[in-house]
């Protein structure tokens, strides 16, 4: 059977005919290979008019279909011959008539043997990405850079005015049963504070840190008679790479919660600006 590939595009706004190439399906003559870019999926999510659409769910449906065909071809060989997905003519049809949210490019025939190395080269050529993750040392450097940004853009600007790197301890705050460090916290009419949290931890650790943050906000609001909705609390964090992962779902849950504003480390200057504008000050002994 002929080898070919087709680019999958997501159209955030069908009326304007805009689209984002989020991945690729490739049939190598025997089985399907696929690649979906986490970066492009995040971009598509941000551009979508309908926020109820789950890009990751759509992608997983396509992956499941490909895996079913691959498994059937290798193991059962009962239904495979009836499936049109392995035929280049069917992708011609999809390209011409799929004008909804998910669109397919014209299938491109392949004339070389498609092994793992050739597949990797094609992905790099089409998406300028790699199937392999960056080494851990790069992650450490990336985290260090984020911390330096927060120190420079936020902490260094407000450390004379409000509490910075303040550690809450249960012996001083009986309503808080855990120790918790805030990057900064101050008060002027309402509470304002920020917590940086890298999402390179396990989902269990992240869940505990986030839960403790919400508990701390509630306890402090009650202690100082402040309305939860009047406070200004921030979570400074980069969006986790892998959409659909437990870590990304936790990040999204905070982003959609009205009690905390989620911002990127490069935006940490916004917290400093608000602290200075509100003339927030130290209020803890």
């Amino acid at each position: 059977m002929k080898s070919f590939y087709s680019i999958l595009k997501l159209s955030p706004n069908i009326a304007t005919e805009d689209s984002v190439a989020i991945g690729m399906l490739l049939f190598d003559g025997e089985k399907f290979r696929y690649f979906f870019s986490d970066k492009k999926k995040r971009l598509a999510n941000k551009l979508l008019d309908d926020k109820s659409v789950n890009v990751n769910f759509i992608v997983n449906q396509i992956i499941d279909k490909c895996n079913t065909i691959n498994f059937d071809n290798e193991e059962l060989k009962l239904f495979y011959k009836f499936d049109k997905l392995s035929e280049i003519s069917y992708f011609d049809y999809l390209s011409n008539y799929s004008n909804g949210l998910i669109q397919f490019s014209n299938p491109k025939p392949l004339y070389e043997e498609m092994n793992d190395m050739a597949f990797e080269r094609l992905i790099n050529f089409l998406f300028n990405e790699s199937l392999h993750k960056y080494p851990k040392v790069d992650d450490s450097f990336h985290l260090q850079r984020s911390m330096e940004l927060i120190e420079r853009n936020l902490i260094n600007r407000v450390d004379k005015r409000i509490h910075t790197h303040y550690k809450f301890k249960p012996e001083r705050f009986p309503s808080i049963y855990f120790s918790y460090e805030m990057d900064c916290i101050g008060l002027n009419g309402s509470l304002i504070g920020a917590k940086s949290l890298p999402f390179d931890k396990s989902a269990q650790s992240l869940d505990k840190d986030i839960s403790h943050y919400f508990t701390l906000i509630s306890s402090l609001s009650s202690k100082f008679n402040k309305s939860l909705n009047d406070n200004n609390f921030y979570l400074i964090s980069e969006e986790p790479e892998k959409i659909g992962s437990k870590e990304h779902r936790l990040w999204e849950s905070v982003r959609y919660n009205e009690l905390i504003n989620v911002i990127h480390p490069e935006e940490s200057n916004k917290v400093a600006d608000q602290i200075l504008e509100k003339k927030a000050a130290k209020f803890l002994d």
Side-chain angles (χ1 to χ4, degrees):
M1 304 180 81
K2 291 183 179 180
S3 301
F4 61 89
Y5 72 87
S6 176
I7 304 295
L8 271 73
K9 298 176 288 185
L10 189 141
S11 179
N13 189 329
I14 299 172
T16 60
E17 298 183 354
D18 294 332
S19 63
V20 178
I22 61 172
M24 171 184 68
L25 289 184
L26 184 148
F27 184 70
D28 64 9
E30 295 182 355
K31 65 179 181 180
F32 273 101
R33 297 173 183 263
Y34 45 79
F35 169 79
F36 290 94
S37 167
D38 288 333
K39 292 180 182 179
K40 295 299 179 65
K41 286 193 293 183
R42 283 198 298 273
L43 175 61
N45 260 324
K46 291 178 181 178
L47 297 177
L48 275 170
D49 290 334
D50 186 354
K51 298 304 179 183
S52 67
V53 174
N54 188 324
V55 174
N56 203 59
F57 174 78
I58 295 171
V59 168
N60 286 338
Q61 292 289 98
I62 296 171
I63 290 174
D64 286 345
K65 179 65 174 176
C66 290
N67 287 339
T68 299
I69 294 171
N70 290 343
F71 179 79
D72 186 46
N73 183 38
E74 294 174 2
E75 304 292 338
L76 302 178
K77 298 185 180 179
L78 294 176
F79 306 107
Y80 179 79
K81 63 181 179 180
F82 299 108
D83 203 304
K84 295 180 180 180
L85 273 178
S86 58
E87 298 176 5
I88 193 169
S89 59
Y90 185 66
F91 277 85
D92 276 320
Y93 168 80
L94 289 176
S95 173
N96 292 327
Y97 295 101
S98 60
N99 54 6
L101 183 65
I102 293 292
Q103 301 174 2
F104 296 79
S105 72
N106 286 321
K108 303 292 184 182
L110 295 166
Y111 301 102
E112 67 172 313
E113 181 182 352
M114 188 52 54
N115 53 28
D116 292 343
M117 188 176 298
F119 185 56
E120 173 82 19
R121 285 199 306 269
L122 185 59
I123 290 170
N124 185 262
F125 174 74
L126 294 172
F127 293 90
N128 195 28
E129 294 186 35
S130 172
L131 287 172
H132 306 292
K133 297 295 182 183
Y134 293 110
K136 207 64 176 179
V137 65
D138 286 352
D139 292 338
S140 300
F141 176 79
H142 196 63
L143 176 60
Q144 181 182 350
R145 180 179 176 275
S146 294
M147 294 300 101
E148 289 173 352
L149 275 173
I150 295 169
E151 285 293 319
R152 183 173 67 250
N153 294 344
L154 171 57
I155 303 302
N156 292 346
R157 293 180 60 196
V158 302
D159 61 350
K160 303 298 183 185
R161 296 174 176 269
I162 65 171
H163 307 285
T164 57
H165 299 301
Y166 187 89
K167 192 164 188 176
F168 289 91
K169 297 182 178 180
E171 51 265 31
R172 287 201 58 221
F173 298 90
S175 62
I176 304 170
Y177 60 89
F178 49 85
S179 297
Y180 201 79
E181 184 173 326
M182 292 286 291
D183 289 59
C184 64
I185 188 164
L187 174 69
N188 184 13
S190 60
L191 293 162
I192 181 169
K195 168 70 177 177
S196 60
L197 183 62
F199 272 67
D200 59 349
K201 302 179 180 181
S202 68
Q204 184 177 5
S205 295
L206 289 170
D207 187 36
K208 184 179 74 171
D209 287 340
I210 293 169
S211 297
H212 283 180
Y213 194 9
F214 280 110
T215 301
L216 177 68
I217 291 172
S218 178
S219 296
L220 290 176
S221 298
S222 177
K223 179 178 177 63
F224 294 98
N225 297 314
K226 303 300 176 185
S227 169
L228 285 172
N229 294 326
D230 290 337
N231 294 326
N232 295 278
F233 283 98
Y234 294 85
L235 181 73
I236 306 175
S237 177
E238 295 194 35
E239 181 178 358
E241 283 287 330
K242 192 170 181 59
I243 295 177
S245 64
K246 291 181 180 178
E247 293 78 12
H248 193 275
R249 289 198 296 271
L250 284 169
W251 179 86
E252 278 198 323
S253 71
V254 182
R255 189 164 67 96
Y256 288 113
N257 193 297
E258 295 180 352
L259 297 183
I260 297 177
N261 297 302
V262 179
I263 60 173
H264 190 277
E266 292 182 353
E267 300 177 288
S268 54
N269 61 298
K270 293 180 180 179
V271 185
D273 291 342
Q274 190 172 35
I275 289 169
L276 297 174
E277 180 184 336
K278 289 180 173 290
K279 297 181 180 180
K282 297 178 179 180
F283 64 106
L284 301 167
D285 297 330

